Amino acid sequence: MLLNEILENLRQPIAPQFISQKKTYKNKKPTGSVDFVAWYDLADLLDDLCGLGGWEWLIIDTQQIGDRLTLTGSLTIHGDDRSLTRQATGTEDIDCSSYGDPSSNAEAMALRRCCAKFGLGRDLWRREKPQPLKMGQRREPEKQTVLAPGTISREEWLKRKAQT
């Protein structure tokens, strides 16, 4: 599949069964909740929408800055015609009290942000949400006949024949 077709599929809304809610806090006080997609569901969606082997994830940097771990990840999407890479960071408190550990939480955040840069999950930030694309329903490219230079399509030949 061509990269532009993959990117179009990635921009489709994520089906509700992949979306979870996470409580948000400020100064250790609850402030509400936010929609998110778990990293393993994003990996499944990338497999489905890009094809197996159609994407790669790489951690390119990890640093501790004060009491936070910052991680930079790189997501590459491969089309039949070319590849495209996006990078993003994720961060977590070193002494995080949430589920997981600082490095896996920072990596998950970086992956979600990379996916959003490609359009996957970006709809979660929109107020008006379009209808979701279900797993296995990616848009297939329209078949186009490629003609050798100097030739015409069957339709064009029939049209010309009818005019004579």
Side-chain angles (χ1 to χ4, degrees):
M1 189 178 321
L2 299 177
L3 183 62
N4 283 339
E5 295 161 342
I6 294 170
L7 295 176
E8 180 62 31
N9 287 328
L10 291 173
R11 284 191 284 274
Q12 300 307 307
I14 294 177
Q17 69 262 27
F18 297 108
I19 300 172
S20 300
Q21 293 250 315
K22 180 178 182 177
K23 291 181 181 179
T24 56
Y25 298 88
K26 185 171 186 174
N27 299 326
K28 299 187 179 185
K29 293 180 183 176
T31 57
S33 63
V34 66
D35 290 341
F36 80 102
V37 179
W39 71 266
Y40 48 85
D41 286 329
L42 287 172
D44 286 343
L45 289 165
L46 287 167
D47 285 344
D48 186 56
L49 297 169
C50 302
L52 293 175
W55 64 280
E56 318 179 39
W57 172 248
L58 179 65
I59 297 170
I60 57 176
D61 186 45
T62 305
Q63 294 183 22
Q64 184 174 344
I65 302 171
D67 62 347
R68 297 192 67 80
L69 176 74
T70 301
L71 182 142
T72 304
S74 177
L75 178 62
T76 302
I77 305 292
H78 301 289
D80 292 336
D81 55 338
R82 60 193 169 111
S83 298
L84 185 61
T85 300
R86 298 279 190 248
Q87 295 178 355
T89 59
T91 184
E92 180 65 89
D93 286 327
I94 293 295
D95 61 347
C96 70
S97 58
S98 61
Y99 180 79
D101 59 85
S103 62
S104 63
N105 292 349
E107 181 179 359
M109 181 187 290
L111 177 62
R112 282 193 294 272
R113 289 175 171 179
C114 277
C115 286
K117 287 181 177 185
F118 280 108
L120 182 59
R122 196 180 296 164
D123 60 295
L124 296 175
W125 300 99
R126 293 190 174 97
R127 293 182 195 269
E128 294 182 28
K129 300 188 188 309
Q131 289 298 102
L133 180 70
K134 293 184 176 57
M135 194 88 156
Q137 291 184 329
R138 70 176 175 222
R139 293 184 182 175
E140 294 296 330
E142 292 183 22
K143 303 291 182 199
Q144 294 181 340
T145 304
V146 178
L147 302 173
T151 61
I152 60 172
S153 67
R154 177 171 172 72
E155 291 79 16
E156 181 65 23
W157 178 78
L158 290 170
K159 181 180 169 185
R160 288 180 185 182
K161 185 176 177 186
Q163 291 174 349
T164 57

